[in-house]
Amino acid sequence: MTRTPDSGTPESDREEEPWLGSDKVSELWRVREHWLPSVAALADVRVRQYGGESRGTWGAALTFYDYHPGDARRAATAIAEGRVDIPSVWRLNTPAGRLAEYGGLFAFRLGCLIVLALVLSGIWMLVHEPASS
């Protein structure tokens, strides 16, 4: 992945357009956000990466990416024309990609629903506990 200096460093004096965040680029390329850095590397898009600092025992902070606006638009054209080979599961406009995106969301929501049901049933059992003689 091509990297540039820190996100606060301007690339040139004539560049005024802000770099694009992951949400905008995901919509532009129709690619799942998780795979944007990999697609950027495939399409030779300049990327600014920030975050991800080590927190020792607690893991690492989240990593965020910003994408060069001109490169992102050029890559969008190349992706739409099929000149960048992207696996279908990475994309949002293929059945495999939609299944991966929304299947994971469905599983998460189902898990939350099950946990909520267990908590509520536990509370209900505590409240309706039979009185001891």
Side-chain angles (χ1 to χ4, degrees), residues 12 18 20 23 35 44 47 57 65-66 80 84 95-96 110 113 123 133:
S12 68
L20 303 175
D23 54 342
W35 295 107
D44 198 29
V47 177
T57 306
Y65 301 92
D66 286 334
V84 178
L110 182 62
L113 182 63
I123 292 171
S133 309

Side-chain angles (χ1 to χ4, degrees), residues 17-35:
E17 190 172 6
W19 286 47
L20 303 175
S22 294
D23 54 342
K24 302 269 190 218
V25 175
S26 178
E27 291 174 15
L28 185 64
W29 294 350
R30 301 300 301 149
V31 173
R32 295 171 52 207
E33 281 193 38
H34 176 77
W35 295 107

Side-chain angles (χ1 to χ4, degrees), residues 72-110:
R73 282 190 289 278
R74 177 190 44 78
T77 304
I79 290 168
E81 294 173 352
R83 290 184 281 138
V84 178
D85 186 29
I86 301 171
S88 63
V89 75
W90 293 6
R91 301 184 66 118
L92 289 172
N93 56 356
T94 62
R98 284 191 299 271
L99 180 63
E101 180 77 6
Y102 300 112
L105 183 60
F106 175 75
F108 172 75
R109 289 178 177 172
L110 182 62

